Amino acid sequence: GAAHFAQVGTLVADMLPEAALAGGGAGAGAAPPVIEQHCTLENASARCSALALHASLPLVVAASAREDISVWDTARRARLLTFANGNPAGSRVSALLLLSDSAFVNAETLAAGSSEGCVRIWRSYAAADGPHLLSAWQASAAPAEVSLRDSPLSLAWQPARATLTAAGGGSGDLCLWDVRHEALVCRLSAPAVSAGQVTSLAADAASPLLAAGYSDGCVRSFDPRAPPAAAVVAQLVVGRGAVSAVSIQPA
């Protein structure tokens, strides 16, 4: 009820500029923080379709407009390696997640989601001898071929549960996967009246709650513990266009 809406309201507010939330920034009088450019990395592609930043190392992983994935050392401003993800022609890598969880694997691991609905798990992605494909599976429904590039796959990771949530392919469903066993835990659906597809995902690290942004401008909060018909615990309309990003901030 109200508690869920308050939580999602905080989530959506985090998507807006702080000055806008404060009514234009009046009152505090403090100067805005200065953001300095650290470096520029040329990916040699017409488009960067996904990015992932390491939490503690100066590493950035970037995907090209098709299937190439590059690993950069930002401290040295150097590309460490580039490898092909292997997604089919006409598709693109649309999501990258660094699964730095020692309970799952003993090496740095990268999850790459591509628009045909497949997830590939790469082990030792920054190692000198190149990455190794650890696992791959169809994580979401494959879109129609005509919309292959326009139906990106979104991913969210909950390390405490080793659960990877995937959504996309023109569908409004969320598929929760046990990564250790490549097993589908459950499938969550938005109300049947919704015609939107999932365009962004976020997972709460401290609880099973998930948030999904949709192409119809809605943000919906899901609780996998609830019965399927009651899994949507909150819904907010934040605009008319697609929701490009959502995040959940710790309480």
Side-chain angles (χ1 to χ4, degrees):
H4 286 300
F5 271 100
Q7 181 173 6
V8 177
T10 301
L11 181 151
V12 175
D14 288 332
M15 296 168 58
L16 302 176
E18 186 175 349
L21 296 176
V34 176
I35 300 176
E36 296 183 359
Q37 179 174 304
H38 176 59
C39 64
T40 300
L41 307 174
E42 178 55 58
N43 207 33
S45 173
R47 176 180 182 180
C48 181
S49 61
L51 279 174
L53 279 70
H54 198 284
S56 58
L57 299 176
L59 294 179
V60 172
V61 184
S64 71
R66 238 288 281 155
E67 66 161 357
D68 292 334
I69 296 176
S70 298
V71 182
W72 293 84
D73 183 329
T74 59
R76 294 162 45 199
R77 295 170 171 78
R79 192 199 312 252
L80 301 181
L81 56 90
T82 298
F83 64 95
N85 186 56
N87 44 291
S91 66
R92 62 183 175 90
V93 176
S94 58
L96 295 170
L97 287 177
L98 303 184
L99 312 184
S100 302
D101 177 25
S102 59
F104 171 45
V105 288
N106 294 321
E108 294 287 344
T109 307
L110 169 72
S114 44
S115 57
E116 88 280 16
C118 186
V119 169
R120 294 168 178 84
I121 307 293
W122 296 94
R123 192 173 192 173
S124 305
Y125 61 87
D129 59 348
H132 306 284
L133 185 62
L134 184 65
S135 180
W137 70 93
Q138 190 72 29
S140 182
E145 186 174 352
V146 67
S147 62
L148 191 58
R149 293 186 64 83
D150 298 324
S151 302
L153 187 71
S154 298
L155 300 176
W157 171 241
Q158 291 175 302
R161 299 166 183 81
T163 301
L164 185 72
T165 301
S171 168
D173 293 347
L174 279 64
C175 298
L176 279 68
W177 292 89
D178 180 338
V179 175
R180 293 189 180 99
H181 302 97
E182 297 179 25
L184 183 64
V185 177
C186 67
R187 186 187 302 269
L188 305 175
S189 299
V193 294
S194 172
Q197 69 183 60
V198 176
T199 53
S200 53
L201 274 177
D204 188 2
S207 77
L209 291 178
L210 298 159
Y214 285 78
S215 58
D216 60 0
C218 286
V219 172
R220 297 179 175 92
S221 178
F222 292 83
D223 189 341
R225 299 167 295 186
V232 178
V233 295
Q235 174 175 305
L236 290 173
V237 178
V238 298
R240 295 183 179 180
V243 179
S244 60
V246 291
S247 65
I248 299 178
Q249 300 298 325

